[in-house]
Amino acid sequence: AVIRGNPLFFPNIAAQPDPPETASTNVQALLNVVDTQALAEVGAGLQNRNLNKQIAAAETAVPPPSLDRTFLNDIVAIDANSAGGTFLIVSRGRNQVVRPKLADPATGALNILNTAGDKVACRLQTGNLPSGVAMSEDGSRAYANNEANFSVTSVNIDDCSTLQLAIAPTTPPPHTHA
């Protein structure tokens, strides 16, 4: 979760218990907003709270090789620049981060689509199982922690590019005695 000003933004998921079992319907990536002064949800029921609906309505390409139309699942982390206008959300299930912008300060609605509204504005592949993200204070860089391959993905937020994937050196497992 992240607080910028009064609103608290937190990513979560909703699982669909009934068929059909498809990538676009089973697990939905949701972003909720709470007014920290009123202690109440803001904009409850807004369609843009479901980030996968934004993707489904705009993107038509079928992956791979592109990342287009890869639906977010298991979103686990969020961070924002200090002004609260640009965000990064981690999708652990898709090994990627997306960069939404604040679309409506009154409701806290975020928009992950480009200005043409035909694709996700910024979607970047990370290492395996990203579990967190931290954005620099000026909002120009970010770092996603990747659990499975002990790496960090460095992101240039301004131009939506991956700078590097830093792999931590591995050590041998601890020696056990019988």
Side-chain angles (χ1 to χ4, degrees):
V2 65
I3 296 175
R4 289 298 181 263
N6 179 39
L8 164 70
F9 299 85
F10 62 96
N12 59 86
I13 60 171
Q16 177 175 309
D18 296 321
E21 294 180 13
T22 64
S24 63
T25 61
N26 267 21
V27 178
Q28 298 298 310
L30 305 176
L31 181 78
N32 292 86
V33 181
V34 172
D35 180 322
T36 57
Q37 293 179 354
L39 298 178
E41 185 177 3
V42 178
L46 289 176
Q47 286 296 314
N48 60 4
R49 294 290 189 239
N50 185 330
L51 302 178
N52 285 352
K53 285 191 183 262
Q54 290 185 41
I55 294 169
E59 293 185 334
T60 58
V62 178
S66 79
L67 294 177
D68 287 358
R69 204 157 171 86
T70 52
F71 293 94
L72 306 175
N73 61 25
D74 200 13
I75 58 175
V76 295
I78 186 171
D79 201 5
N81 64 359
S82 59
T86 301
F87 293 76
L88 282 180
I89 297 174
V90 173
S91 175
R92 180 170 48 196
R94 287 291 184 193
N95 294 332
Q96 56 186 244
V97 295
V98 293
R99 181 195 66 199
K101 299 281 188 170
L102 183 62
D104 184 354
T107 64
L110 299 184
N111 180 19
I112 63 174
L113 302 178
N114 62 10
T115 51
D118 61 356
K119 69 181 295 176
V120 173
C122 177
R123 177 194 282 132
L124 294 168
Q125 196 75 56
T126 65
N128 292 328
L129 290 177
S131 59
V133 65
M135 192 181 292
S136 64
E137 187 174 344
D138 68 359
S140 65
R141 299 278 189 269
Y143 306 91
N145 174 56
N146 309 304
E147 287 183 28
N149 60 346
F150 304 105
S151 67
V152 173
T153 303
S154 179
V155 175
N156 180 334
I157 297 169
D158 295 330
D159 70 3
C160 189
S161 64
T162 302
L163 298 172
Q164 65 189 14
L165 184 66
I167 306 290
T170 59
T171 59
H175 184 71
T176 57
H177 297 283

